[in-house]
Amino acid sequence: MPDERGRARGCANNSENMTTEHLFLRACLRQAVPRRPVWMMRQAGRYLPEYRATRARAGGFLNLCKTPELACEVTLQPIDLMGVDAAILFSDILVIPEAMGMELQFLEGEGPHFPNPIRNAADVAKLTDPDPEVELRYVMDALRLIRKELNGRVPLIGFTGSPWTLATYMVEGGGSKNFSTIKKMIYADPVSAHKLLERVTESVIAYLTAQVAAGAQAVQIFDTWGGILSTLDFRAFSLNYIKRIVQAVPKVGPDGQRVPVIVFVKGGGQWLEDIADTGCDVMGLDWTTDPTEARRRVGDRVAFQGNMDPCVLYAPPEVIAQRTRAMLTAFGDDPGHIANLGHGILPDIPVEHAKAFIQAAQAEIGG
Ligand code: CP3
C-alpha cells in the first residue's frame, strides 16, 4: 500500500541524485513519499505541560534557549509526545540581534523587549558581527546534541528570522501594532534601513552556514512581518535580502545530503512567484492562500508547507480531522507537500487537539 501511494505521487523532479529515507526531506525535494509528512510551527512550546515544566526548571525562556541540554529536551518533546515527522531546533529568532550586541529581555507574559532599540546610522554602526561558534555556540551545541539524541528518527530543521522581520523587532524595540517606527526608518532614512538589513543579512548567512555544519538538515527562514509591506517595499526591504540568504546557504550538508531551504512569508500570498524566484526549495503558506491557486501560479518548481489556520485547533477533534483532510485534498496528490499549520500553534490549544491534527495528517487515505 505505501509503495503504491509512493508511485501514485510520481517521481522526483529534483535534479540531485541524492536520496533520503526521511519523509520530510523527501517531500521538501518533491520526491515520492508513501504518506505526507507533518510538523507544526512552534511545536515545542507552551501548549505542552512538559515544555512549561522544563522552562520552569531552566528559570526562564532565554536560559532555556542557552542551555543546550534543556533546549535539546524540549526539541524532542513533540517528537516523543506528538509523533511529528520533523524536529525543529528550540531557540528564538531574536538570538541573532542579541549576538550582534543588543540587550534582549523576555518579560514573563509580555514577549520580547530590546531596551535600547536601533534608531539611526550610529546605532547600526555599533552592532557587531558575531562568530556563530562563539556568541551563538549554545545554538550549535544544541544542534549537535539534538542530532545525536534524535539518532536518525526524524530530520532536524534549523531556522532564522528574515532580516526584515528581525529588523522590525530591533527598531521597534519589541512587538508592534502598526510598525510605524521601522516604517518611518525605511521612508525617512532608507540608507540606514538598508545598512541595518545588510548587516543582519551577513550575520544570518554566517549563522545558517554554521547551523548546517552543526547538523541542521533543512533550514527555515521566517518572514513573519513581510506581509505588512507594499509590493514595492516587500521586494526592496525583505525579499531581496531573503534571496541573498537562500543563494548563500550551503545546499549540501556535511553528510552529503541536500539541505532544503524553506521560506515562510506570513501574508505573502500575493507574492508567490517572487518568493519562488528566490530559489528556495519549499514555500511556507499561511491559510489565506489557496493551495490549488498557489500550485497553478508557481508550477512544480517548489514544494509547499502549510497551511491550516492555527485557530482551527480550537474546534472539536472531529472537526479538526475533517478540516485537516480537506486541506490535504486541496494540496492535491502530487509530491511536494508538508502538512503544517499556517503559523505557530497557540499556547492555549489542548494537547489532544494538536494530536488530532497530526494523526489526521498521517492517516491520510486517498488523494
Ligand atoms: O517552532 C518551534 O517550536 C521552535 C522554536 C521557536 C520559538 N520561536 C520559540 C519561542 C521558533 C521557530 C520561534 C520563531 C519566532 N520567534 C518568530 C517567527 C515565527 C512566528 O511565530 O512568527 C518570531 C516572530 C519570534 C519572536 C518571539 N519569540 C515572540 C514575538 C515571542 C513572544 C510571543 C510568544 O509567542 O510568546 C517569542 C517567545 C517564544 N519563542 C516562545 C517560544 C516557545 C514563548 C516563550 C515562553 O515560553 O515564555
Side-chain angles (χ1 to χ4, degrees):
M1 184 62 177
D3 281 340
E4 269 165 36
R5 235 177 121 66
R7 273 198 295 279
R9 285 184 178 282
C11 290
N13 72 341
N14 208 280
S15 53
E16 282 78 10
N17 283 325
M18 288 170 266
T19 55
T20 165
E21 294 307 309
H22 290 303
L23 292 176
F24 167 79
L25 293 174
R26 291 186 64 87
C28 286
L29 300 171
R30 294 182 49 75
Q31 294 171 350
V33 282
R35 68 161 173 83
R36 273 180 254 214
V38 58
W39 69 281
M40 294 182 296
M41 289 189 274
R42 296 287 190 104
Q43 65 189 14
R46 287 162 294 181
Y47 74 102
L48 285 176
E50 291 82 358
Y51 167 82
R52 296 195 297 268
T54 312
R55 189 187 59 182
R57 259 201 290 141
F61 173 68
L62 267 181
N63 283 346
L64 181 51
C65 292
K66 291 181 180 182
T67 313
E69 292 71 22
L70 298 180
C72 175
E73 185 176 308
V74 293
T75 300
L76 298 185
Q77 283 169 354
I79 316 306
D80 298 331
L81 300 165
M82 316 294 293
V84 289
D85 296 305
I88 181 162
L89 161 75
F90 186 83
S91 186
D92 197 79
I93 60 168
L94 300 177
V95 299
I96 277 278
E98 189 191 42
M100 295 177 79
M102 294 183 76
E103 185 187 343
L104 170 63
Q105 302 166 345
F106 273 93
L107 310 170
E108 195 65 44
E110 282 181 45
H113 178 59
F114 292 107
N116 305 300
I118 305 281
R119 292 292 150 83
N120 51 43
D123 294 335
V124 177
K126 277 190 236 144
L127 292 169
T128 56
D129 300 313
D131 175 343
E133 280 290 353
V134 179
E135 285 89 345
L136 293 157
R137 173 77 188 249
Y138 61 89
V139 175
M140 306 309 147
D141 286 343
L143 285 165
R144 288 184 276 260
L145 186 60
I146 297 162
R147 271 304 289 278
K148 189 164 146 259
E149 294 292 319
L150 276 174
N151 197 19
R153 271 183 291 166
V154 293
L156 175 58
I157 307 168
F159 69 90
T160 180
S162 72
W164 167 254
T165 290
L166 292 174
T168 64
Y169 289 98
M170 294 165 85
V171 172
E172 298 285 341
S176 174
K177 280 205 167 63
N178 58 14
F179 298 92
S180 59
T181 316
I182 179 92
K183 285 194 175 181
K184 179 178 174 187
M185 194 186 215
I186 67 173
Y187 298 121
D189 185 7
V191 173
S192 296
H194 279 298
K195 186 72 200 159
L196 172 60
L197 292 163
E198 297 267 347
R199 295 287 306 277
V200 175
T201 299
E202 290 312 313
S203 292
V204 164
I205 290 171
Y207 184 48
L208 287 186
T209 303
Q211 287 191 27
V212 171
Q217 291 160 285
V219 291
Q220 175 154 333
I221 303 169
F222 285 93
D223 192 14
T224 304
W225 302 121
I228 64 159
L229 291 167
S230 69
T231 297
L232 206 63
D233 292 321
F234 173 68
R235 289 187 182 134
F237 292 98
S238 187
L239 188 73
N240 170 40
Y241 295 99
I242 292 175
K243 187 168 183 174
R244 276 160 55 175
I245 297 164
V246 174
Q247 303 291 320
V249 172
K251 301 282 174 290
V252 176
D255 56 1
Q257 293 283 327
R258 268 284 268 112
V259 178
V261 179
I262 307 163
V263 175
F264 170 63
V265 181
K266 184 159 174 285
Q270 49 175 334
W271 307 308
L272 298 177
E273 295 85 349
D274 301 76
I275 299 165
D277 285 344
T278 60
C280 63
D281 300 284
V282 184
M283 281 168 62
L285 305 180
D286 73 20
W287 59 94
T288 64
T289 299
D290 177 67
T292 315
E293 171 73 3
R295 188 54 84 199
R296 190 188 62 69
R297 282 173 55 190
V298 301
D300 62 4
R301 60 192 156 139
V302 292
F304 289 137
Q305 177 175 277
N307 71 341
M308 200 165 80
D309 186 335
C311 292
V312 172
L313 298 189
Y314 288 119
E318 324 71 87
V319 177
I320 295 170
Q322 235 170 46
R323 296 295 291 257
T324 305
R325 287 193 291 270
M327 174 188 78
L328 299 180
T329 305
F331 275 98
D333 206 22
D334 46 308
H337 176 225
I338 299 119
N340 204 319
L341 302 173
H343 197 200
I345 185 169
L346 294 159
D348 59 345
I349 295 296
V351 174
E352 290 312 312
H353 291 206
K355 274 191 189 149
F357 169 67
I358 303 294
Q359 284 166 5
Q362 293 177 336
E364 177 190 17
I365 35 162

